Amino acid sequence: MTALLLLPLLLPCALPVLARRALGRLTPVVALWAVTGCAVLLAGCSLAALAAFVLIGLLELPLFAALGELVHPLHAASAVFVVPAAVASAGALAGSCSTLVRSALRQSRAYRAARAEAACRPAAGDLCVVDSDRPDAYALPGRPHRVVVTTAMLRSLDGPEREALLAHERAHNAGGHHVALAAAELAAHCHPALRRVRDTIRLAAERAADEAAAASVGDRRLTARAVARAALAGHAARSARPGFTPGAATGPVPQRVRALLARPPRPRAGRAVATLLATCTTVSCVASATATADVHHRVEVAQGETSP
Protein backbone atom coordinates (compact mmCIF):
# COMPACT_ATOMS: atom_id res chain seq x y z
CA MET A 1 0.00 0.00 0.00
CA THR A 2 2.65 2.53 1.03
CA ALA A 3 4.85 1.50 -1.90
CA LEU A 4 1.99 2.29 -4.28
CA LEU A 5 1.55 5.69 -2.68
CA LEU A 6 5.18 6.53 -3.48
CA LEU A 7 4.63 6.16 -7.22
CA PRO A 8 2.37 9.23 -7.64
CA LEU A 9 4.99 11.26 -5.76
CA LEU A 10 7.91 10.06 -7.90
CA LEU A 11 6.44 9.92 -11.40
CA PRO A 12 6.01 13.73 -11.79
CA CYS A 13 9.80 13.97 -11.70
CA ALA A 14 9.90 12.36 -15.15
CA LEU A 15 7.47 14.83 -16.72
CA PRO A 16 9.86 17.79 -17.30
CA VAL A 17 12.06 15.68 -19.59
CA LEU A 18 9.09 14.08 -21.33
CA ALA A 19 7.44 17.48 -21.80
CA ARG A 20 10.49 18.92 -23.56
CA ARG A 21 10.70 15.89 -25.83
CA ALA A 22 6.98 16.14 -26.59
CA LEU A 23 7.37 19.75 -27.68
CA GLY A 24 10.24 18.75 -29.96
CA ARG A 25 8.52 15.76 -31.54
CA LEU A 26 4.83 16.68 -31.60
CA THR A 27 3.10 19.67 -33.14
CA PRO A 28 2.95 22.57 -30.66
CA VAL A 29 -0.81 22.44 -30.16
CA VAL A 30 -0.80 18.66 -29.57
CA ALA A 31 2.16 18.96 -27.19
CA LEU A 32 0.41 21.81 -25.35
CA TRP A 33 -2.71 19.87 -24.46
CA ALA A 34 -1.00 16.50 -23.98
CA VAL A 35 1.52 17.87 -21.50
CA THR A 36 -1.11 20.00 -19.74
CA GLY A 37 -3.42 17.02 -19.28
CA CYS A 38 -0.59 14.89 -17.91
CA ALA A 39 0.52 17.66 -15.53
CA VAL A 40 -2.99 18.10 -14.13
CA LEU A 41 -3.52 14.37 -13.61
CA LEU A 42 -0.10 13.86 -12.03
CA ALA A 43 -0.70 16.84 -9.73
CA GLY A 44 -4.04 15.42 -8.61
CA CYS A 45 -2.56 11.99 -7.99
CA SER A 46 0.31 13.44 -5.94
CA LEU A 47 -2.14 15.37 -3.75
CA ALA A 48 -4.24 12.23 -3.28
CA ALA A 49 -1.14 10.28 -2.24
CA LEU A 50 -0.17 12.95 0.30
CA ALA A 51 -3.69 12.95 1.72
CA ALA A 52 -3.62 9.14 2.02
CA PHE A 53 -0.30 9.26 3.88
CA VAL A 54 -1.76 11.83 6.28
CA LEU A 55 -4.86 9.70 6.89
CA ILE A 56 -2.80 6.56 7.56
CA GLY A 57 -0.56 8.44 9.99
CA LEU A 58 -3.51 9.93 11.87
CA LEU A 59 -5.18 6.56 12.27
CA GLU A 60 -1.97 5.23 13.82
CA LEU A 61 -2.56 7.62 16.73
CA PRO A 62 -4.97 6.42 19.44
CA LEU A 63 -6.91 9.69 19.60
CA PHE A 64 -7.74 9.78 15.90
CA ALA A 65 -8.25 6.02 15.80
CA ALA A 66 -10.91 6.46 18.48
CA LEU A 67 -12.51 9.30 16.55
CA GLY A 68 -12.57 7.06 13.51
CA GLU A 69 -14.31 4.35 15.57
CA LEU A 70 -11.56 1.83 14.87
CA VAL A 71 -11.98 -1.38 16.85
CA HIS A 72 -8.93 -3.07 15.33
CA PRO A 73 -5.50 -1.62 14.67
CA LEU A 74 -5.01 -0.23 11.20
CA HIS A 75 -2.88 -2.69 9.25
CA ALA A 76 -0.23 -0.46 7.70
CA ALA A 77 3.55 -0.25 7.59
CA SER A 78 5.60 0.24 10.71
CA ALA A 79 4.78 3.38 12.68
CA VAL A 80 8.50 4.21 12.52
CA PHE A 81 7.97 4.92 8.82
CA VAL A 82 4.30 5.89 8.63
CA VAL A 83 4.20 8.63 11.28
CA PRO A 84 7.19 10.64 9.94
CA ALA A 85 5.86 10.18 6.40
CA ALA A 86 2.46 11.45 7.54
CA VAL A 87 4.03 14.50 9.20
CA ALA A 88 6.06 15.29 6.08
CA SER A 89 3.00 14.74 3.88
CA ALA A 90 0.89 17.02 6.05
CA GLY A 91 3.51 19.76 5.77
CA ALA A 92 3.79 19.33 1.99
CA LEU A 93 0.01 19.27 1.59
CA ALA A 94 -0.44 22.41 3.69
CA GLY A 95 2.32 24.21 1.80
CA SER A 96 0.88 23.26 -1.57
CA CYS A 97 -2.63 24.35 -0.63
CA SER A 98 -1.35 27.62 0.84
CA THR A 99 0.71 28.62 -2.20
CA LEU A 100 -2.05 27.46 -4.56
CA VAL A 101 -4.66 29.63 -2.85
CA ARG A 102 -2.34 32.65 -2.74
CA SER A 103 -1.51 32.24 -6.42
CA ALA A 104 -5.18 31.89 -7.35
CA LEU A 105 -6.10 35.04 -5.42
CA ARG A 106 -3.19 37.00 -6.92
CA GLN A 107 -4.04 35.90 -10.45
CA SER A 108 -7.72 36.65 -9.88
CA ARG A 109 -6.96 40.20 -8.73
CA ALA A 110 -4.68 40.81 -11.71
CA TYR A 111 -7.31 39.43 -14.08
CA ARG A 112 -10.07 41.63 -12.67
CA ALA A 113 -7.79 44.67 -12.94
CA ALA A 114 -6.96 43.83 -16.57
CA ARG A 115 -10.63 43.34 -17.45
CA ALA A 116 -11.53 46.62 -15.75
CA GLU A 117 -8.81 48.47 -17.68
CA ALA A 118 -9.98 46.94 -20.97
CA ALA A 119 -13.62 47.81 -20.20
CA CYS A 120 -12.71 51.47 -19.78
CA ARG A 121 -11.17 51.66 -23.25
CA PRO A 122 -12.98 51.89 -26.58
CA ALA A 123 -12.73 48.64 -28.53
CA ALA A 124 -12.77 47.98 -32.24
CA GLY A 125 -14.18 44.48 -32.43
CA ASP A 126 -11.97 42.40 -30.15
CA LEU A 127 -9.10 44.91 -30.23
CA CYS A 128 -8.53 47.17 -27.23
CA VAL A 129 -5.79 49.81 -27.55
CA VAL A 130 -4.40 51.21 -24.30
CA ASP A 131 -2.60 54.55 -24.37
CA SER A 132 0.64 53.73 -22.57
CA ASP A 133 4.37 54.20 -22.99
CA ARG A 134 4.89 50.59 -21.81
CA PRO A 135 5.10 48.24 -24.83
CA ASP A 136 2.82 45.28 -24.22
CA ALA A 137 0.34 43.06 -26.04
CA TYR A 138 -1.61 40.10 -24.73
CA ALA A 139 -4.73 38.01 -25.19
CA LEU A 140 -7.30 38.66 -22.46
CA PRO A 141 -9.83 35.81 -22.03
CA GLY A 142 -13.38 36.35 -20.89
CA ARG A 143 -16.68 37.38 -22.37
CA PRO A 144 -15.96 38.81 -24.81
CA HIS A 145 -12.35 37.93 -25.55
CA ARG A 146 -10.06 40.92 -25.98
CA VAL A 147 -6.71 41.53 -27.63
CA VAL A 148 -5.07 44.26 -25.56
CA VAL A 149 -2.19 46.20 -27.09
CA THR A 150 -0.56 49.43 -25.97
CA THR A 151 0.20 52.39 -28.19
CA ALA A 152 3.90 51.99 -27.42
CA MET A 153 3.82 48.44 -28.81
CA LEU A 154 2.00 49.59 -31.94
CA ARG A 155 4.61 52.28 -32.53
CA SER A 156 7.37 49.66 -32.26
CA LEU A 157 6.05 47.66 -35.24
CA ASP A 158 5.24 48.41 -38.84
CA GLY A 159 1.91 47.57 -40.49
CA PRO A 160 2.54 43.94 -41.52
CA GLU A 161 4.21 43.20 -38.18
CA ARG A 162 1.18 44.57 -36.34
CA GLU A 163 -1.03 42.25 -38.37
CA ALA A 164 1.14 39.27 -37.41
CA LEU A 165 1.14 40.32 -33.74
CA LEU A 166 -2.65 40.63 -33.63
CA ALA A 167 -3.02 37.27 -35.41
CA HIS A 168 -0.80 35.73 -32.74
CA GLU A 169 -2.92 37.10 -29.89
CA ARG A 170 -6.18 36.12 -31.57
CA ALA A 171 -4.82 32.60 -31.96
CA HIS A 172 -4.34 32.45 -28.19
CA ASN A 173 -7.98 33.39 -27.58
CA ALA A 174 -9.31 31.09 -30.30
CA GLY A 175 -7.26 28.17 -28.98
CA GLY A 176 -8.20 28.68 -25.33
CA HIS A 177 -4.54 28.71 -24.34
CA HIS A 178 -5.34 30.55 -21.10
CA VAL A 179 -6.95 27.34 -19.82
CA ALA A 180 -3.71 25.41 -20.27
CA LEU A 181 -1.66 28.19 -18.69
CA ALA A 182 -3.98 28.43 -15.68
CA ALA A 183 -3.93 24.64 -15.24
CA ALA A 184 -0.13 24.62 -15.45
CA GLU A 185 0.08 27.36 -12.82
CA LEU A 186 -2.13 25.40 -10.42
CA ALA A 187 -0.31 22.11 -11.06
CA ALA A 188 3.04 23.80 -10.37
CA HIS A 189 1.95 24.36 -6.77
CA CYS A 190 1.05 20.70 -6.25
CA HIS A 191 4.48 19.16 -6.91
CA PRO A 192 7.93 20.78 -7.15
CA ALA A 193 8.83 18.91 -10.36
CA LEU A 194 5.81 20.40 -12.15
CA ARG A 195 7.19 23.92 -11.79
CA ARG A 196 9.59 23.24 -14.66
CA VAL A 197 6.74 21.83 -16.75
CA ARG A 198 4.94 25.17 -16.41
CA ASP A 199 7.60 26.86 -18.54
CA THR A 200 7.36 24.16 -21.21
CA ILE A 201 3.58 24.56 -21.36
CA ARG A 202 3.95 28.32 -21.75
CA LEU A 203 6.45 27.79 -24.57
CA ALA A 204 4.10 25.30 -26.24
CA ALA A 205 1.26 27.86 -26.09
CA GLU A 206 3.45 30.53 -27.68
CA ARG A 207 4.69 28.12 -30.35
CA ALA A 208 1.11 27.10 -31.17
CA ALA A 209 0.08 30.77 -31.53
CA ASP A 210 3.19 31.48 -33.62
CA GLU A 211 2.26 28.73 -36.07
CA ALA A 212 -1.35 29.93 -36.26
CA ALA A 213 -0.21 33.52 -36.88
CA ALA A 214 2.22 32.42 -39.59
CA ALA A 215 -0.55 30.49 -41.31
CA SER A 216 -2.89 33.48 -41.01
CA VAL A 217 -0.54 36.08 -42.53
CA GLY A 218 1.08 33.56 -44.88
CA ASP A 219 4.64 34.56 -44.00
CA ARG A 220 6.73 32.75 -41.39
CA ARG A 221 9.62 35.18 -41.70
CA LEU A 222 7.32 38.16 -41.09
CA THR A 223 5.85 36.45 -38.03
CA ALA A 224 9.34 35.72 -36.68
CA ARG A 225 10.32 39.36 -37.17
CA ALA A 226 7.16 40.58 -35.44
CA VAL A 227 7.75 38.27 -32.47
CA ALA A 228 11.39 39.35 -32.18
CA ARG A 229 10.66 43.08 -32.39
CA ALA A 230 7.74 42.84 -29.96
CA ALA A 231 9.93 40.98 -27.47
CA LEU A 232 12.74 43.50 -27.90
CA ALA A 233 10.35 46.41 -27.35
CA GLY A 234 8.70 44.87 -24.29
CA HIS A 235 11.87 43.41 -22.76
CA ALA A 236 12.35 46.15 -20.16
CA ALA A 237 8.64 46.73 -19.52
CA ARG A 238 6.95 45.19 -16.52
CA SER A 239 3.42 43.97 -17.17
CA ALA A 240 0.78 43.76 -14.45
CA ARG A 241 -1.36 41.30 -16.38
CA PRO A 242 -2.13 37.87 -14.89
CA GLY A 243 0.25 35.05 -15.66
CA PHE A 244 -2.32 32.98 -17.55
CA THR A 245 -2.86 35.69 -20.17
CA PRO A 246 -0.45 34.78 -22.99
CA GLY A 247 1.44 37.42 -24.95
CA ALA A 248 3.61 37.40 -28.06
CA ALA A 249 6.64 38.84 -26.24
CA THR A 250 6.82 36.13 -23.56
CA GLY A 251 8.74 32.90 -23.38
CA PRO A 252 12.16 32.02 -24.86
CA VAL A 253 11.84 34.22 -27.94
CA PRO A 254 15.08 33.07 -29.70
CA GLN A 255 13.86 29.49 -29.64
CA ARG A 256 10.48 30.55 -31.04
CA VAL A 257 12.11 32.60 -33.81
CA ARG A 258 14.35 29.66 -34.80
CA ALA A 259 11.29 27.41 -35.02
CA LEU A 260 9.51 29.92 -37.26
CA LEU A 261 12.51 30.34 -39.55
CA ALA A 262 12.92 26.59 -39.87
CA ARG A 263 10.77 24.43 -42.07
CA PRO A 264 7.08 24.26 -41.16
CA PRO A 265 6.61 21.61 -38.45
CA ARG A 266 5.35 18.27 -39.64
CA PRO A 267 4.12 15.40 -37.50
CA ARG A 268 7.18 13.34 -36.72
CA ALA A 269 7.71 10.05 -34.98
CA GLY A 270 6.24 11.22 -31.72
CA ARG A 271 4.54 7.95 -30.87
CA ALA A 272 7.26 6.97 -28.41
CA VAL A 273 7.07 10.14 -26.33
CA ALA A 274 3.26 10.12 -26.52
CA THR A 275 3.28 6.53 -25.26
CA LEU A 276 5.62 7.45 -22.42
CA LEU A 277 3.40 10.38 -21.40
CA ALA A 278 0.32 8.15 -21.42
CA THR A 279 2.09 5.37 -19.54
CA CYS A 280 3.46 7.70 -16.87
CA THR A 281 0.04 9.24 -16.28
CA THR A 282 -1.81 5.92 -16.34
CA VAL A 283 0.56 4.29 -13.85
CA SER A 284 0.21 7.25 -11.50
CA CYS A 285 -3.59 7.23 -11.71
CA VAL A 286 -3.84 3.46 -11.25
CA ALA A 287 -1.41 3.47 -8.32
CA SER A 288 -3.23 6.34 -6.65
CA ALA A 289 -6.66 4.78 -7.14
CA THR A 290 -5.51 1.32 -6.02
CA ALA A 291 -3.76 2.64 -2.92
CA THR A 292 -6.74 4.82 -2.01
CA ALA A 293 -9.12 1.88 -2.37
CA ASP A 294 -6.80 -0.26 -0.26
CA VAL A 295 -6.66 2.38 2.48
CA HIS A 296 -10.46 2.57 2.46
CA HIS A 297 -10.71 -1.21 2.74
CA ARG A 298 -8.22 -1.35 5.63
CA VAL A 299 -10.12 1.36 7.47
CA GLU A 300 -13.33 -0.64 7.09
CA VAL A 301 -11.54 -3.70 8.44
CA ALA A 302 -10.23 -1.71 11.39
CA GLN A 303 -13.76 -0.48 12.07
CA GLY A 304 -15.00 -4.06 12.08
CA GLU A 305 -17.33 -3.43 9.15
CA THR A 306 -15.79 -6.12 6.96
CA SER A 307 -13.44 -9.09 7.24
CA PRO A 308 -9.74 -8.76 6.43
Side-chain angles (χ1 to χ4, degrees):
M1 175 177 61
T2 53
L4 282 177
L5 288 175
L6 290 176
L7 281 176
L9 300 178
L10 296 176
L11 286 173
C13 298
L15 190 57
V17 175
L18 292 177
R20 290 193 295 271
R21 290 188 178 181
L23 185 55
R25 299 188 179 185
L26 302 173
T27 60
V29 66
V30 172
L32 170 65
W33 293 109
V35 173
T36 301
C38 291
V40 170
L41 290 174
L42 290 177
C45 291
S46 65
L47 290 181
L50 291 175
F53 268 124
V54 173
L55 177 61
I56 294 171
L58 289 177
L59 294 181
E60 289 276 349
L61 303 176
L63 174 61
F64 289 97
L67 291 175
E69 299 180 353
L70 269 62
V71 295
H72 303 294
L74 184 67
H75 294 286
S78 171
V80 176
F81 168 77
V82 170
V83 174
V87 172
S89 298
L93 196 60
S96 295
C97 292
S98 175
T99 58
L100 192 150
V101 170
R102 288 201 303 268
S103 176
L105 292 175
R106 183 173 62 254
Q107 298 290 339
S108 178
R109 287 194 297 268
Y111 174 72
R112 289 196 301 268
R115 290 295 302 184
E117 182 183 38
C120 296
R121 313 287 179 176
D126 64 342
L127 179 61
C128 177
V129 179
V130 178
D131 186 11
S132 172
D133 58 357
R134 173 175 50 83
D136 197 11
Y138 57 92
L140 184 62
R143 293 186 179 181
H145 291 323
R146 288 279 184 258
V147 172
V148 181
V149 59
T150 64
T151 53
M153 179 62 79
L154 292 177
R155 288 194 298 267
S156 302
L157 308 175
D158 60 25
E161 290 169 349
R162 294 174 187 171
E163 182 183 355
L165 176 73
L166 297 180
H168 175 100
E169 303 303 347
R170 290 189 173 110
H172 279 310
N173 280 333
H177 296 167
H178 61 281
V179 176
L181 295 180
E185 179 67 27
L186 296 179
H189 296 285
C190 298
H191 195 286
L194 298 180
R195 296 170 188 168
R196 290 179 289 167
V197 179
R198 174 177 51 189
D199 296 332
T200 304
I201 291 175
R202 180 170 292 279
L203 175 58
E206 296 303 329
R207 286 278 310 279
D210 289 341
E211 296 299 331
S216 177
V217 301
D219 191 335
R220 297 179 66 83
R221 186 170 294 274
L222 169 63
T223 306
R225 189 170 70 246
V227 168
R229 293 190 64 181
L232 185 62
H235 176 70
R238 175 174 293 183
S239 177
R241 56 186 167 91
F244 61 84
T245 53
T250 58
V253 175
Q255 186 174 343
R256 293 168 52 198
V257 170
R258 284 196 300 270
L260 283 168
L261 295 179
R263 293 181 178 180
R266 296 177 181 177
R268 291 190 285 173
R271 292 183 179 179
V273 68
T275 301
L276 286 174
L277 283 172
T279 301
C280 182
T281 306
T282 301
V283 170
S284 181
C285 291
V286 170
S288 178
T290 303
T292 301
D294 186 60
V295 170
H296 181 264
H297 175 71
R298 291 173 185 269
V299 169
E300 287 185 334
V301 171
Q303 290 175 332
E305 297 180 2
T306 185
S307 59

